[in-house]
Amino acid sequence: MQSQAVKLLEGDKVYLRPIGLDDTELYFRMLFHPETRRLTGTKKHFTKEQIRQYIEGKTHDSSTVLLLIALCETDEVIGDIALQDIDATNRNANIRIAIDGSGHQGKGYGSEALHLMLDYGFGILNLHRIELNVFDYNGRAKHVYEKLGFKQEGVQREALFYDHKYHDSIMMSILEDEYRRMRNIR
């Protein structure tokens, strides 16, 4: 638990805060939760030193906004979210999210974190299009993305080999005007 956490973006249940080198151990442990690895298709093994270098690199990377998701009530970090591959010329980016699988999924935390990051992407970074990929076996996430206004654009057939099988990767996106209409933002 962190005292006086910096809250970059704050909702009712969760807030998003910057990641720092002091989060290396926490981030390292999060990357090895089996269900989180499965849902995100993570296969690579990481060392703590690689995680420390990754975090340090992200602090200097203007094409990525990487934030930790924490509960407002307890400051417990329950996941991470990132806008990445930010292209200021074409005003688009990719978004990804991971919620720790230990009892934090299905409670609306991910939806709220996504709303906060989409508001930031469209309202602060002036993005026009935000895209993501979700694997075919993650129906719950696909449903959440659709509720948020993401539209399916296509399918990369059998793009991921995980747990002895091939899985499709579903490409989805949302445009700024679609998001603003859904949120009644003028």
Side-chain angles (χ1 to χ4, degrees):
M1 189 155 92
Q2 184 180 16
S3 61
Q4 297 302 102
V6 173
K7 299 175 182 181
L8 178 63
L9 305 168
E10 192 169 4
D12 294 328
K13 299 183 213 175
V14 300
Y15 65 88
L16 308 183
R17 71 166 178 84
I19 190 169
L21 288 177
D22 55 338
D23 295 307
T24 299
E25 177 69 30
L26 169 74
Y27 204 66
F28 178 75
R29 279 187 277 115
M30 284 177 17
L31 285 172
F32 284 96
H33 188 281
E35 183 64 0
T36 303
R37 289 178 68 81
R38 185 183 78 80
L39 292 175
T40 59
T42 303
K43 298 188 264 186
K44 190 172 180 345
H45 166 77
F46 302 95
T47 65
K48 282 185 196 169
E49 180 59 23
Q50 286 171 317
I51 297 304
R52 190 194 66 70
Q53 290 172 3
Y54 173 78
I55 292 171
E56 188 171 33
K58 289 301 171 191
T59 63
H60 304 291
D61 180 1
S62 62
S63 71
T64 300
V65 177
L66 172 61
L67 301 171
L68 293 177
I69 304 166
L71 298 177
C72 289
E73 198 171 291
T74 64
D75 292 328
E76 177 188 1
V77 173
I78 61 166
D80 70 310
I81 189 167
L83 281 171
Q84 51 197 16
D85 303 322
I86 298 170
D87 177 345
T89 303
N90 294 304
R91 297 177 48 218
N92 60 51
N94 174 281
I95 194 168
R96 69 162 183 78
I97 184 171
I99 299 289
D100 182 6
S102 60
H104 297 115
Q105 295 176 353
K107 296 184 176 178
Y109 300 143
S111 294
E112 187 173 71
L114 283 161
H115 271 300
L116 292 170
M117 196 61 120
L118 291 171
D119 279 346
Y120 185 77
F122 291 128
I124 304 298
L125 299 181
N126 194 29
L127 295 174
H128 174 69
R129 179 180 182 279
I130 298 176
E131 65 181 23
L132 60 81
N133 284 62
V134 61
F135 299 114
D136 59 6
Y137 54 79
N138 196 349
R140 183 167 49 184
K142 185 173 185 283
H143 176 72
V144 167
Y145 301 141
E146 288 169 340
K147 277 180 50 179
L148 290 170
F150 282 86
K151 306 234 183 313
Q152 182 171 320
E153 293 186 329
V155 175
Q156 295 171 304
R157 299 178 306 142
E158 299 184 1
L160 173 72
F161 184 78
Y162 203 88
D163 201 20
H164 305 282
K165 294 191 283 196
Y166 282 98
H167 303 278
D168 294 345
S169 179
I170 301 163
M171 299 175 294
M172 304 179 80
S173 73
I174 186 168
L175 303 177
E176 64 180 317
D177 60 325
E178 295 167 338
Y179 184 72
R180 288 190 174 122
R181 266 196 309 275
M182 286 197 70
R183 301 283 289 180
N184 291 320
I185 300 169
R186 299 198 185 272

